[in-house]
Amino acid sequence: MWPSRPEPRFVISSRYDDGFKLYYEQYCARGDMENRIKDQQLDLFAGRTSSTHWWTNQWRLILSGFAYTLFERLRVHLKNTPFERMSAGTLRLKLIKVGAVIIRNTRRIRVLMSDSYPHKNDLSALVQRLVPQ
């Protein structure tokens, strides 16, 4: 049963700085970090440690950590693009899991993508940014 009378709650703090600053620098940063943890567990498969062998679970966590690092480095190259604020799962779906035909010979590698792929130009621009000059 819920109590019939109101139960007001108060937060008492000894902080004297601006509450706006506190909210954006600490509270929102904490929420963003929880989103990054959720990305790694759900989208990069860190939560799938169901093996009975320790090394198997450890190896999956190491690979998940590498994948997270890869996506964070990829975000650096996605500044000022529509993909800048996307989660790891959305980036994986829209940029990494792309159906293409790869033709390789001794001098070059060609990637043939469908004309109907909606992010073809964005992916091409990203690849150009990733190529060392």
Side-chain angles (χ1 to χ4, degrees):
M1 288 294 291
W2 291 101
S4 59
R5 65 187 195 326
E7 292 185 23
R9 291 180 171 80
F10 299 94
V11 176
I12 299 172
S13 173
S14 60
R15 299 184 64 105
Y16 293 104
D17 59 348
D18 186 18
F20 191 76
K21 179 181 173 186
L22 171 70
Y23 175 76
Y24 280 103
E25 288 183 2
Q26 291 183 1
Y27 184 76
C28 289
R30 178 177 169 257
D32 188 53
M33 182 51 60
E34 288 182 9
N35 286 339
R36 301 289 77 81
I37 291 169
K38 184 174 81 172
D39 277 349
Q40 189 162 7
Q41 287 178 339
L42 298 178
D43 299 328
L44 302 176
F45 308 107
R48 294 183 58 190
T49 52
S50 58
S51 176
T52 58
H53 301 289
W54 183 83
W55 276 110
T56 308
N57 292 331
Q58 191 66 22
W59 180 246
R60 184 178 291 274
L61 287 173
I62 289 170
L63 289 178
S64 177
F66 284 147
Y68 181 79
T69 304
L70 174 71
F71 277 101
E72 284 303 308
R73 294 300 304 150
L74 187 63
R75 284 181 211 273
V76 171
H77 296 284
L78 292 171
K79 293 288 182 194
N80 303 320
T81 67
F83 303 102
E84 182 176 22
R85 304 273 303 154
M86 289 185 182
S87 70
T90 306
L91 285 175
R92 191 172 141 253
L93 183 67
K94 293 190 178 199
L95 290 179
I96 305 297
K97 291 176 72 173
V98 176
V101 175
I102 299 175
I103 300 173
R104 182 181 64 126
N105 63 21
T106 56
R107 290 184 283 154
R108 66 180 168 209
I109 298 172
R110 293 178 58 196
V111 179
L112 306 175
M113 292 186 287
S114 170
D115 287 333
S116 63
Y117 174 55
H119 306 292
K120 184 177 180 178
N121 295 332
D122 295 323
L123 182 61
S124 296
L126 174 64
V127 170
Q128 289 298 319
R129 277 186 242 132
L130 293 174
V131 172
Q133 302 300 334

